[in-house]
Amino acid sequence: MLRTLEGGLGRKRRAAPDDKLACLTALERKVLWLSTWMIHNANHLRPNRDGLKVGGHQASSASVATLMTALYFDVLRPQDRVAVKPHASPVFHAIQYLLGQQTRDKLERFRGFGGAQSYPSRSKDGETVDFSTGSVGLGVGMTLFASLAQDYLWLKRLVPTDGPPGRMIALAGDAELDEGNIFEALLEGWKHDVRNLWWIIDYNRQSLDAVVSDRLFGRIDAMFEMMGWRVVTLKYGRLLEAAFARPDGHHLREWIDACPNSLYSALVYKGGEGWREHLQRDLNRHPGIRAILDDHDDAALQRLMTNLAGHDMDSVLAAFHAVEDDRPTCFIAYTIKGYGLPFAGHKDNHSGLMNLDQMASFRRSMAVADGAEWEPLAGLDLPPERLAEFLKAMPLAGSRPRRHEAALVAVPASLPVPRGTRQSTQEAFGRLLGDIAASETALAERIVTTSPDVTVSTNLGPWVNRCGIFDRAERADTFREEHVVSAQRWAMSPQGQHIELGIAESNLFLELAALGLAGPLFGTRLLPIGTLYDPFIKRGHDALNYACYQDARFILVATPSGITLAPEGGAHQSVGEPLTGLAQPGLASFEPAYADELAVLLRWAFEEIQREAGQSVYFRLSTRPIDQPERTVDPDLAEAIIGGAYWLREPGPGSELAIAYCGAVAPEALAAHQAVAEDIPGAGLLAITSPDRLHRDWLAARICGEASVAGRMLARLRPGAALVTVGDFHPATLSWLGAVAGNTIVALGVDRFGQSGDIPDLYRAYGIDTDAILDAAARACLTALR
Ligand SMILES: Cc1ncc(C[n+]2csc(CCOP(=O)(O)OP(=O)(O)O)c2C)c(N)n1
Ligand SMILES: [Mg+2]
């Protein structure tokens, strides 16, 4: 089973004092019991009303009981933050229970409504969860970006720097390393020289379906070392090391090293008898091995042969405590999936559950009496008082809450509207940020921008030119020093306020998630803005969902968008992203048409992302320059822009028709409205700034039986009047408006892949130009008359 590797720490191993070791070993036993029992209770003892398997992962949990006990009860300091592999959630909850931070009631309702969550959740489990997990790989990557966020605050002295910084720790399943986001994150981490990062890999050599390739570990350590990480391999525990030191013991080591993963796993499952048979067959010629076999009965032989370092408390503690510097460190901890349980090592154990008989004998082996299943310290070899004392003295005990309260950042009453009679929303965004950068306000100090290699093309240039690029080290702008003319000033320093990422949208969203949690994680609020091209939201969509799931707060600016990016063609065109904006919980989305709308919305967004019950904000912007309205935005109009819609041209009383548009198609909608007004003088023109806000409001209003914003607006029309909606997005983004007040609706939009062209050609081909709107209006009016 592969080679032995000591890791980069030389001989720095220290043994833990006996007393501590005894307490931690006892707690580890209890953690294993409670996590196993919690799952058993949920599946076998709670009433099942729907016939669904409740599930939970007894094998995955058993695999990390030692590692997590060591971490939480001895190694973690209050400032450290952890992402726990999703399916070790029961172990996490058991530990929090022993720490007095989780209730028995919630454990009893594990995976039930209002109970402890299936996968650790910041928003549902609360305070004790630093990073949510669930979609494998993302929690691991998140710790890397949290480390970068911590550096950002630390190097700017935005957080107290008198104590050591926190370590960002991921406890990862080995199969998590298959996720591409891990590789993307590693490379980005290397570029930013991240520190204070530990990834502890639960190397049980099993994923969900199968046992992994024998040669994988060699790739894993090479990959981390290539990125400048220290790799510490915890392979054999104290018992096995002692056996290897006996006469002929090296043959045993060589035998295990050469044993294929699947055979090793199968023998773990078979137990002592299986080991004996194979070892006798292969190594009986060595007297020392015969002596080892004679000294061990089947149970002892099983204990010996499964004594991997990831289940050996002393080895685990020695490895963790030996790391004293801030170099990123990967621990490859050899473990056995299902260790200590009847299906240990079985390749099909991922969702395996112990049956009633197996649980009865496990209970006996754990010395847990009937009725004492939830007793925190019952059935252990040590007196409860001694364990209670140990718990009181551990590093995490009595530490202040893990989540910080962070002061609000003041937002000015208004942002100046970018000047220009003709401009695009993307240009307006660049100017707005440029003006904020020049303002020397608290707002300017706390904004941090980030982009995956599209900083200039999303118009963050004016901001970056003023605020600089963030880097641990001062780096000059070589082009500038060499007097080569460039519009971009790219000097880098710890003072810089833009984090430049390589092209990896998943990294962008994890970075936004980490920066957007700076307040609760580190105590100082940041206002992160990430920019990318709208179609590439899909690239990072799971990470975006992950960021929203843990209630990170940020502003996302996606530009260019739709077929309006015209010559760029179909590969860069976005169609369904507004539907993502509509459907994504935790994210309010807007698609303004004009610069003054964006000024109102951006200001609102800075407040919204700081509100207790607020959310993140997504702006879908465009590169199309359009004529700007001559107007001042009064408070009523500002409120309507934030609410999602306003009448750009008021309808006449009981009007027959309204055209509702959103975003860059405003000129076509205006032209169509002007043309139609000759025949239908009372026709209205509805400017929609947020299909998402309107839709949410409508759904909420239906539940509480009140009139919705959209309902009140459409009530200005004749009942059943014709309604045409148009936007550079999938028509379903607005077609629901027909259901609000029973209007006869024709929804225009794009539902096919785009192609290169100019706007007039493309709008005509895809049916969102003025003629298409007029046609639709005629059809809708005809239908409405019937
Ligand atoms: C993105 C994603 N894909 C698939 C899954 C389903 N899934 C849950 S656990 C798992 C395998 C995990 O194996 P490993 O990380 O080695 O953990 P172990 O169970 O061995 O501890 C899979 C595929 C998931 N949670 N997330
Ligand atoms: Mg695994």
Side-chain angles (χ1 to χ4, degrees), residues 41 113 123 239 292 303 305 337 360 469 710:
N41 177 68
F113 192 64
S123 52
L239 292 179
I292 291 173
R303 230 180 353 267
M305 295 301 287
K337 193 155 169 173
I469 309 266

Side-chain angles (χ1 to χ4, degrees), residues 424-425 560-567 573-574 591-593 620-626 661-671 726-729 748-752 754-775:
S424 70
T425 44
S561 58
I563 55 171
T564 307
L565 51 70
Q573 162 213 6
S574 58
E591 186 164 347
R620 187 175 192 248
L621 304 185
S622 170
T623 41
R624 180 186 191 191
I626 61 173
Y661 76 91
C662 179
V665 297
E668 283 66 29
L670 268 165
V726 59
D728 181 359
F729 43 52
L748 302 178
V750 179
D751 58 1
R752 285 170 291 140
Q755 55 191 297
S756 305
D758 64 6
I759 288 178
D761 276 344
L762 291 173
Y763 277 20
R764 181 172 34 77
Y766 291 83
I768 54 173
D769 66 351
T770 304
D771 285 346
I773 299 171
L774 288 171
D775 273 359

Side-chain angles (χ1 to χ4, degrees), residues 196-460:
N196 303 299
L197 189 59
W198 282 14
W199 286 3
I200 303 164
I201 297 167
D202 171 14
Y203 192 49
N204 58 26
R205 304 166 308 287
Q206 275 186 254
S207 57
L208 195 160
D209 284 337
V211 175
V212 304
S213 157
D214 288 331
R215 295 175 304 126
L216 186 64
F217 81 100
R219 299 294 101 192
I220 295 175
D221 60 31
M223 177 174 85
F224 280 92
E225 276 164 0
M226 201 170 74
M227 297 295 168
W229 289 51
R230 171 196 292 120
V231 177
V232 178
T233 303
L234 292 92
K235 188 163 186 188
Y236 295 122
R238 300 291 200 234
L239 292 179
L240 271 173
E241 292 287 0
F244 298 154
R246 290 175 57 157
D248 286 332
H250 65 283
H251 293 296
L252 183 62
R253 180 197 289 270
E254 284 156 17
W255 186 90
I256 306 183
D257 281 347
C259 182
N261 284 343
S262 34
L263 177 60
Y264 183 85
S265 297
L267 292 178
V268 168
Y269 180 71
K270 286 173 82 174
E273 223 178 302
W275 293 114
R276 195 175 302 281
E277 187 193 326
H278 276 261
L279 289 172
Q280 276 172 348
R281 189 193 309 157
D282 296 345
L283 300 179
N284 226 24
R285 62 188 179 283
H286 306 294
I289 300 293
R290 288 201 301 275
I292 291 173
L293 290 177
D294 290 346
D295 288 351
H296 291 76
D297 64 13
D298 281 352
L301 190 58
Q302 169 78 342
R303 230 180 353 267
L304 174 69
M305 295 301 287
T306 57
N307 178 238
L308 300 184
H311 299 302
D312 189 281
M313 184 60 80
D314 206 8
S315 307
V316 169
L317 293 175
F320 288 164
H321 286 298
V323 176
E324 286 167 349
D325 59 15
D326 65 0
R327 183 170 168 202
T329 300
C330 168
F331 299 90
I332 303 179
Y334 277 74
T335 54
I336 291 167
K337 193 155 169 173
Y339 183 73
L341 306 182
F343 39 54
H346 197 292
K347 71 180 175 62
D348 306 333
N349 66 11
H350 184 79
S351 41
L353 294 173
M354 283 157 69
N355 62 29
L356 296 178
D357 289 344
Q358 287 170 328
M359 187 41 104
S361 77
F362 183 59
R363 173 208 284 279
R364 277 193 299 280
S365 74
M366 286 276 154
V368 175
D370 260 347
E373 294 86 355
W374 299 106
E375 288 303 315
L377 302 175
L380 299 173
D381 300 339
L382 296 181
E385 312 79 60
R386 189 158 148 215
L387 284 167
E389 226 162 83
F390 175 81
L391 287 174
K392 248 194 261 159
M394 49 158 284
L396 276 190
S399 61
R400 47 176 207 272
R402 292 187 76 70
R403 293 214 188 144
H404 297 272
E405 292 288 330
L408 293 174
V409 179
V411 177
S414 65
L415 298 179
V417 177
R419 265 197 288 256
T421 51
R422 193 173 161 78
Q423 59 184 313
S424 70
T425 44
Q426 176 175 311
E427 279 174 85
F429 167 68
R431 290 190 188 134
L432 279 162
L433 270 199
D435 285 350
I436 294 172
S439 71
E440 290 185 10
T441 52
L443 176 68
E445 187 201 54
R446 294 298 181 78
I447 290 175
V448 48
T449 58
T450 180
S451 184
D453 204 26
V454 289
T455 298
V456 176
S457 47
T458 55
N459 216 13
L460 270 179

